């Protein structure tokens, strides 16, 4: 059993100064505000402890891709993001041919069983050609029941979320099939109108994939999918708060409107995250990263991001006012809300019985230590005080 003390701990939606967390057998045995109930084994007198980040939309990082269908490369991407505080990763796959997609799903299913990632997100291939973004348009297709069943079988329970365009033929049946299998359905990369989006929500869709990006724009006479997703309390909306996909004012307004309990900040990171500018591949497309912004080669189309969850956390705290209220909201946005949206009951918050996934942040909100399932990860810049 290990008892941690810190200058601050975020518990139950508030910042406790000081606070403590006790770890036993990979789980949180107890936590609370104030000084630890006994001398701490490790004390972080100038740091804040927050839940491990939950990134529900990420394609790779550290030069590695989750689509590689290679266990070592999958682990390399997950390890990179874990060093940035993401202790639960939903590995996202872009549009691919049926065979390649099944192979990638099977490889990620094995990684899920080994707890390298928390599950799989299929972002395609059932997307709108009008809003395909950085997806290979030639590989897009309408949902086919046989392919849906084949992918569910290959995933063997590891597929946790699917993004689709609800205006495509066969989408209603696909939504029913996925929700019956316990898979979260997200609306995204879509040209659906307001009514079609509301119909998808009634059918069981509960997430909006990177709101505003790669979907029909909001118009005062045709509000489209964004307003339908925003106004329904059953829906969690993703936002890419990397400074390139959305203006900070839009991020703030969506958080103010929907509330942190309905907004999940994501990275949408590709292999280039942590690997620098240069040439990359994403789902069969050539991607160039210049100044940290990824774009499909020869176009202005943004192709995912190069950000990480710790950077997203720092950015949103600053945008929301750099207060204790902002810190608590940032925890909700980067951990608690995405965990709830995905049905991950044992992560996303520091509470007794939850998995011991946590991040120690220094005074500048930079990652100092990361714990996943009770084990300190091989990354540290801030030494605790042993007592």
């Amino acid at each position: 059993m290990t008892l941690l003390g810190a200058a601050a701990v975020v518990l139950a939606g508030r910042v406790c100064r000081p606070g403590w967390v006790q770890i036993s057998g990979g789980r949180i045995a107890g936590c609370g505000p104030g000084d630890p109930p006994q001398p701490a084994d490790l004390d972080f007198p100038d740091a804040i402890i927050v839940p491990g980040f939950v990134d529900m939309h990420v394609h790779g990082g550290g030069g590695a891709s989750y689509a590689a269908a290679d266990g070592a490369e999958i682990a390399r991407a997950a390890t990179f993001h874990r060093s940035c505080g993401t202790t639960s990763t939903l590995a996202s796959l872009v549009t691919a041919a049926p065979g390649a997609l099944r192979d990638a799903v099977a490889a990620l299913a094995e990684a899920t069983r080994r707890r390298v990632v928390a599950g799989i997100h299929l972002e395609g291939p059932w997307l709108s050609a009008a809003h395909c973004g950085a997806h290979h348009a030639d590989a897009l297709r309408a949902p086919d029941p046989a392919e849906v069943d084949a992918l569910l079988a290959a995933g063997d329970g590891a597929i946790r979320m699917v993004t689709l365009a609800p205006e495509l033929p066969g989408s209603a049946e696909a939504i029913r099939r996925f929700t019956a299998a316990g898979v979260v359905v997200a609306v995204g990369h879509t040209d659906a109108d307001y009514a079609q989006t509301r119909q998808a929500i009634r059918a069981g869709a509960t997430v909006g994939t990177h709101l505003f990006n790669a979907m029909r724009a909001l118009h005062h006479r045709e509000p489209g999918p964004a307003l339908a997703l925003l106004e329904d309390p059953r829906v969690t909306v993703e936002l890419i708060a990397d400074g390139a996909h959305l203006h900070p004012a839009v991020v703030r307004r969506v958080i103010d409107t929907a509330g942190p309990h309905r907004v999940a900040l994501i990275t949408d990171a590709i292999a280039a995250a942590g690997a620098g500018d240069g040439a990359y591949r994403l789902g069969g497309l050539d991607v160039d990263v210049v100044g940290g912004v990824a774009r499909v080669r020869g176009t202005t189309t943004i192709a995912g991001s190069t950000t990480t969850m710790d950077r997203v956390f720092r950015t949103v705290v600053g945008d929301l006012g750099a207060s204790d209220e902002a810190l608590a909201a940032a925890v909700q946005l980067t951990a608690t809300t995405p965990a709830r949206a995905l049905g991950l009951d044992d992560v996303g918050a520091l509470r007794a019985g939850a998995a011991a996934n946590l991040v120690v942040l220094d005074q500048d909100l930079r990652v100092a230590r990361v714990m996943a399932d009770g084990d300190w990860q091989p990354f540290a810049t801030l030494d605790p005080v042993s007592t």
Side-chain angles (χ1 to χ4, degrees):
M1 192 169 291
T2 303
L3 183 59
L4 310 178
V9 179
V10 179
L11 302 171
R14 68 188 184 98
V15 180
C16 303
R17 297 182 183 275
W20 57 275
V21 181
Q22 192 164 41
I23 311 299
S24 179
R27 317 294 293 186
I28 297 176
C31 51
D35 293 324
Q38 61 195 55
D41 298 298
L42 297 174
D43 188 39
F44 298 94
D46 299 309
I48 179 171
I49 297 177
V50 301
F53 304 133
V54 179
D55 193 348
M56 60 191 289
H57 191 148
V58 55
H59 297 278
S65 169
Y66 287 127
D70 175 81
E73 186 161 347
I74 291 167
R76 193 159 68 250
T79 298
F80 166 73
H81 282 290
R82 197 173 297 120
S83 75
C84 300
T86 300
T87 53
S88 299
T89 295
L90 202 61
S92 300
L93 296 174
V94 295
T95 297
L101 193 57
R102 283 196 304 273
D103 290 345
V105 166
L108 284 170
E110 175 59 27
T112 302
R113 285 189 286 272
R114 292 187 287 109
R115 296 181 65 84
V116 175
V117 296
I120 303 166
H121 166 214
L122 296 179
E123 188 185 15
W126 311 297
L127 310 177
S128 164
H131 300 281
C132 61
H135 289 254
H136 206 301
D138 292 342
L140 297 176
R141 47 198 182 268
D144 173 73
E147 183 177 26
V148 168
D149 287 344
L151 288 170
L152 286 171
D156 192 25
I159 298 175
R160 283 198 168 268
M161 188 168 76
V162 169
T163 294
L164 54 77
E167 73 275 16
L168 295 179
S171 64
E173 181 180 349
I175 291 172
R176 288 191 293 269
R177 179 69 182 93
F178 281 121
T179 55
V183 177
V184 173
V185 174
V187 172
H189 286 274
T190 177
D191 198 41
D193 60 23
Y194 178 80
Q196 289 171 320
T197 306
R198 283 173 58 87
Q199 186 175 16
I201 295 168
R202 286 194 295 271
T206 57
V207 170
T209 294
H210 43 53
L211 192 71
F212 299 117
N213 295 120
M215 62 176 61
R216 182 188 290 210
L218 192 152
H219 186 275
H220 58 281
R221 284 189 295 273
E222 172 43 61
L227 184 60
L229 294 164
L230 266 176
E231 70 181 6
D232 197 300
R234 295 170 291 184
V235 174
T236 300
V237 295
E238 297 179 344
L239 296 179
I240 310 173
D242 66 342
H245 282 81
L246 298 169
H247 191 283
V250 173
V251 175
R252 289 193 301 271
R253 178 55 60 191
V254 171
I255 294 170
D256 288 344
T257 300
H261 66 291
R262 286 190 50 220
V263 177
L265 299 183
I266 62 168
T267 64
D268 198 13
I270 64 171
D277 288 358
Y280 296 88
R281 296 277 288 177
L282 179 65
L285 296 178
D286 291 318
V287 173
D288 291 318
V289 178
V290 178
V293 178
R295 299 185 189 276
V296 176
R297 181 167 297 167
T299 76
T300 59
T301 300
I302 299 177
S305 89
T306 62
T307 196
T308 53
M309 286 298 281
D310 60 318
R311 288 165 59 188
V312 168
F313 186 94
R314 288 193 297 275
T315 296
V316 77
V317 169
D319 286 346
L320 295 180
S323 62
D324 278 1
E325 290 77 12
L327 281 171
V331 166
Q332 181 88 37
L333 295 159
T334 59
T336 311
T337 295
R340 177 195 52 76
L342 296 173
L344 299 174
D345 297 331
D346 65 342
V347 300
L350 300 177
R351 54 176 175 77
N357 292 352
L358 58 85
V359 185
V360 181
L361 300 172
D362 67 17
Q363 292 178 315
D364 296 320
L365 301 183
R366 297 187 179 277
V367 175
R369 297 288 296 270
V370 179
M371 176 181 283
D373 293 329
D375 293 325
W376 291 114
Q377 300 304 294
F379 172 83
T381 59
L382 176 68
D383 292 328
V385 177
S386 298
T387 58

